[in-house]
Amino acid sequence: MKFALRFWRYQYKALSKKGKVFDLIFVAFVLLLVCLHMIRIQSFDIAVLITCLLLGVIGCIIPQMLCATIITFAQYGTSKVLNAEGFSDNYLKFYEKKRIVGRPYNENTATVFAEIMVRSGHVKEAMQYFEIIKVLPANTFAYTELIYLRMLAALKADMPQLADSIWNQERKFITWAVNRPARSMEKAQLLLVTIYADCANGRYERALQQTVTYMQSKEFKRYKTAEFEFRIAHLFILKKLGREEFNNIAPEVKRDIETKSHLYDWEMEQYLIDFNKAVNGVFPWQ
């Protein structure tokens, strides 16, 4: 039950952030109509105005709550297993049986299955799977994820030059996706794997510049997408460059990993493993 509530809350927060501008416009529109009506009848009532304001806010919140509930019901089955198992062989088999075998081909599902392969250590199988699945650039979510996974798999396979080659092949799409407004997930993934590739190929100064620039951006501060992945990568780069800043940041990162809430039960342990790799100068994504 705890995970179900946490998962619902995560979906609701994500929807709230995406719809914040629309919510403000909607509430302002409601208040404008009320004010115009009051001017027309030459009667201004603050109580009515406050009531309409509350109704406008409720009119924004309830649809988001319903959408979060629908998403939770649709995804809870597989997410519950992921929460319990993590990216394990058991989860890989479960997802394959639940979403792949005997089902029509779906770009998003195939991409998620590839992600489980990569993250569960089946890198060679994932690289073979990349050759048989097809994802169109029009599906920005799946196409971004596929670029990220292809590069990540290459890095996990200790093939940093292949990661660079994939980035160059997809340069046009990456540039377009990174510069799109309000696409925090896609931007974070593409920047993160680019930083990983820069590190693996010894381009630590450029990796540091990209990491710091993104972590100081309004997008990162607002959405916190892949927060600890970026902070651990930042820590790793500072370690490799021998910067004094490393000694100040490391305790903060460890403290936040241990004290902040995480969506999945296994995340804190995994982040601490990656953190320990970073402080020892080991690539945290391997």
Side-chain angles (χ1 to χ4, degrees), residues 1-272:
M1 183 57 70
K2 286 183 179 180
F3 173 67
L5 291 173
R6 195 164 68 238
F7 189 75
W8 179 89
R9 192 162 55 244
Y10 171 84
Q11 299 299 336
Y12 174 72
K13 286 182 178 179
L15 289 169
S16 297
K17 287 180 179 178
K18 288 181 180 179
K20 189 168 289 185
V21 174
F22 172 79
D23 293 345
L24 291 172
I25 294 173
F26 177 76
V27 172
F29 181 69
V30 170
L31 293 178
L32 177 62
L33 290 179
V34 173
C35 289
L36 290 174
H37 177 69
M38 288 179 177
I39 292 171
R40 186 176 64 83
I41 65 175
Q42 297 182 342
S43 176
F44 186 82
D45 191 330
I46 188 66
V48 172
L49 195 62
I50 293 174
T51 301
C52 291
L53 173 61
L54 292 174
L55 290 174
V57 171
I58 292 171
C60 294
I61 292 175
I62 290 178
Q64 292 172 352
M65 293 177 70
L66 289 174
C67 287
T69 302
I70 292 170
I71 294 171
T72 299
F73 273 112
Q75 299 181 4
Y76 184 69
T78 52
S79 296
K80 182 181 178 181
V81 178
L82 174 59
N83 182 62
E85 296 280 349
F87 287 101
S88 63
D89 288 350
N90 287 337
Y91 181 56
L92 179 66
K93 293 174 183 176
F94 172 83
Y95 194 90
E96 183 177 23
K97 182 178 179 181
K98 187 82 172 178
R99 297 292 179 88
I100 302 297
V101 177
R103 298 294 185 96
Y105 176 76
N106 179 277
E107 291 181 343
N108 292 348
T109 302
T111 305
V112 173
F113 186 51
E115 179 186 15
I116 302 169
M117 283 188 188
V118 173
R119 295 189 182 277
S120 62
H122 297 272
V123 177
K124 290 183 179 179
E125 293 91 333
M127 294 175 82
Q128 292 172 352
Y129 190 61
F130 295 148
E131 299 298 323
I132 63 173
I133 62 174
K134 185 177 181 180
V135 176
L136 298 176
N139 186 343
T140 55
F141 162 76
Y143 201 78
T144 297
E145 183 76 2
L146 189 59
I147 295 172
Y148 171 81
L149 292 170
R150 288 169 62 205
M151 290 181 65
L152 184 63
L155 295 171
K156 284 181 174 291
D158 198 23
M159 302 169 68
Q161 292 181 342
L162 176 59
D164 272 0
S165 177
I166 295 168
W167 192 95
N168 286 321
Q169 290 170 12
E170 304 291 349
R171 179 194 298 266
K172 185 176 180 180
F173 178 87
I174 292 172
T175 302
W176 171 80
V178 166
N179 291 322
R180 285 188 74 194
R183 305 298 297 188
S184 63
M185 180 63 75
E186 287 88 342
K187 182 172 184 174
Q189 283 186 304
L190 294 172
L191 283 174
L192 186 64
V193 79
T194 300
I195 291 163
Y196 287 172
D198 280 345
C199 290
N201 285 283
R203 299 184 293 265
Y204 291 109
E205 289 290 352
R206 191 172 83 168
L208 179 62
Q209 182 182 4
Q210 291 193 88
T211 305
V212 171
T213 299
Y214 181 63
M215 289 174 63
Q216 291 176 345
S217 69
K218 292 181 180 179
E219 273 183 310
F220 181 77
K221 292 176 181 178
R222 179 183 179 187
Y223 293 104
K224 296 294 184 182
T225 305
E227 176 186 1
F228 288 113
E229 283 85 349
F230 276 99
R231 294 179 68 182
I232 289 170
H234 182 215
L235 197 63
F236 168 76
I237 296 165
L238 292 174
K239 175 71 174 181
K240 297 299 287 187
L241 291 174
R243 300 293 170 84
E244 291 183 8
E245 189 181 358
F246 169 87
N247 295 322
N248 297 324
I249 291 178
E252 295 177 5
V253 175
K254 187 173 188 293
R255 181 199 63 214
D256 288 346
I257 290 173
E258 293 174 334
T259 57
K260 287 192 175 183
S261 60
H262 303 279
L263 176 58
Y264 297 108
D265 290 338
W266 49 267
E267 284 187 297
M268 184 176 76
E269 182 181 355
Q270 184 59 55
Y271 285 137
L272 287 174

